[in-house]
Amino acid sequence: MLTNLIIQGDHVPTQTLKQIAKLCAVDAIEAINQQAFRLVNADNSNQAAIAELCAAAKLDFGFIPFHRHLNDFKLVVMDMDSTLITIECIDEIADMIGIKPEVAAITESAMRGEIVFAESLTRRVALLAGLDASALERVYEERLRLTPGAETMLTTLQQRGIKTLLVSGGFTFFTERLQSRLNLDYSASNTLEIIDGKLTGRVLGNILDAQGKADWLNKVREELGLAQKQVIAIGDGANDLLMMAQAGVSVAYHAKPVVRQQASYALNYNDLSAVLPLLGKL
């Protein structure tokens, strides 16, 4: 199969680009923008050497089908915490009562795949019992920030008519606000139980876990009448792997090693707008 090689970075050294081009015996080097380059008709047999060169220069790379176009895709499915936004919401909620280190340790373990997600969420939420619900608003207003490049990525996808699904093991308090703010088509997550203005330490209903994320991707895909190859999934933790496996293209964004190993592409250095060149010509 003919492939193009996408090279991306804050600064792409000309010498490194030429070395990679030689390794791949490319027909041409095309600038996509100041941070991204397309190496046309690239031989993908020297990936280990390319990976070494890119890592040394802090560049991301990905081989993509020669004829792929952004318009080939119709749905993008995104994780929220540490993917669409820069924080882990539950860790920041915990910080309001001085237990962030304890909760963050459980979060990290779950992200690495060491603890089943549902168990980890139950344990973490239980530690929040008694917290005033106003803390959620404080986290949203004071600490939640969109990941750099998120709005550029979403605007471009939405302009092409690509539907958007935000699916998270986090909480509806945040996903619903982001859905409205970013004009996303769908969102799904967990609901914290609040009684008399305080968190009870429980989640309402069934926990949306890794399988739940995959189920939501397939539910929306089927509703839209799409094939798997028309779906993009973006995530960073072990809880995203089942979802990413259901997509035609999966992107590990500043992800844990287990996720980088299983994704179609890994973005370790660039912002979220770097997803776009990996999807093909605009």
Side-chain angles (χ1 to χ4, degrees):
M1 180 179 70
L2 293 177
T3 61
N4 289 333
L5 174 59
I6 305 299
I7 301 291
Q8 302 188 80
D10 286 339
H11 170 65
V12 182
T14 301
Q15 187 59 36
T16 302
L17 199 59
K18 288 180 177 178
Q19 284 179 275
I20 294 170
K22 186 175 181 180
L23 274 172
C24 299
V26 304
D27 291 345
I29 300 174
E30 299 174 350
I32 300 171
N33 55 49
Q34 289 185 325
Q35 286 79 41
F37 295 84
R38 180 186 300 110
L39 279 60
V40 180
N41 195 12
D43 178 354
N44 63 4
S45 61
N46 290 313
Q47 290 198 36
I50 292 163
E52 189 174 336
L53 282 169
C54 286
K58 294 188 176 181
L59 304 174
D60 292 318
F61 75 95
F63 286 93
I64 71 171
F66 188 82
H67 296 294
R68 188 157 75 195
H69 195 282
L70 181 59
N71 291 343
D72 295 338
F73 298 97
K74 301 299 179 187
L75 172 66
V76 60
V77 184
M78 301 159 288
D79 172 49
M80 179 177 69
D81 296 281
S82 298
T83 301
L84 184 63
I85 63 176
T86 60
I87 63 170
E88 292 286 330
C89 289
I90 193 166
D91 295 354
E92 300 307 318
I93 297 168
D95 198 32
M96 298 293 174
I97 50 175
I99 60 169
K100 181 175 180 177
E102 187 176 352
V103 169
I106 302 172
T107 301
E108 275 293 304
S109 188
M111 294 271 284
R112 293 191 297 265
E114 297 167 354
I115 307 175
V116 174
F117 179 80
E119 176 196 341
S120 79
L121 188 67
T122 299
R123 285 170 52 188
R124 287 177 290 167
V125 171
L127 294 170
L128 305 177
L131 179 64
D132 196 293
S134 63
L136 303 179
E137 188 68 38
R138 282 190 60 199
V139 170
Y140 183 80
E141 293 294 337
E142 298 173 15
R143 304 194 181 189
L144 186 149
R145 298 291 181 269
L146 295 177
T147 297
E151 289 178 288
T152 298
M153 179 190 75
L154 286 171
T155 299
T156 302
L157 295 174
Q158 289 166 333
Q159 286 173 345
R160 299 304 177 95
I162 296 172
K163 298 295 184 182
T164 50
L165 164 61
L166 177 62
V167 61
S168 172
F171 308 119
T172 53
F173 184 93
F174 303 103
T175 56
E176 289 176 354
R177 282 162 175 74
L178 287 168
Q179 180 178 2
S180 175
R181 173 177 167 183
L182 299 171
N183 196 30
L184 306 177
D185 296 291
Y186 311 91
S187 70
S189 54
N190 294 299
T191 302
L192 289 167
E193 183 180 58
I194 299 172
I195 296 177
D196 296 330
K198 294 187 182 298
L199 275 63
T200 66
R202 293 186 293 269
V203 173
L204 292 173
N206 294 326
I207 289 177
L208 196 157
D209 58 5
Q211 186 59 55
K213 287 187 171 189
D215 291 345
W216 262 96
L217 180 152
N218 285 320
K219 176 178 182 287
V220 172
R221 178 184 62 76
E222 289 167 7
E223 283 180 5
L224 296 174
L226 304 179
Q228 181 177 1
K229 66 181 181 180
Q230 294 175 291
V231 181
I232 310 148
I234 309 169
D236 72 304
N239 192 42
D240 298 314
L241 286 172
L242 294 180
M243 169 187 84
M244 293 166 73
Q246 295 301 312
V249 167
S250 59
V251 181
Y253 182 74
H254 293 221
K256 296 294 181 279
V258 66
V259 184
R260 296 199 301 266
Q261 291 161 9
Q262 296 184 46
S264 308
Y265 305 106
L267 292 174
N268 300 321
Y269 307 108
N270 289 269
D271 69 25
L272 265 181
S273 66
V275 169
L276 295 170
L278 295 173
L279 302 180
K281 293 185 177 180
L282 305 183

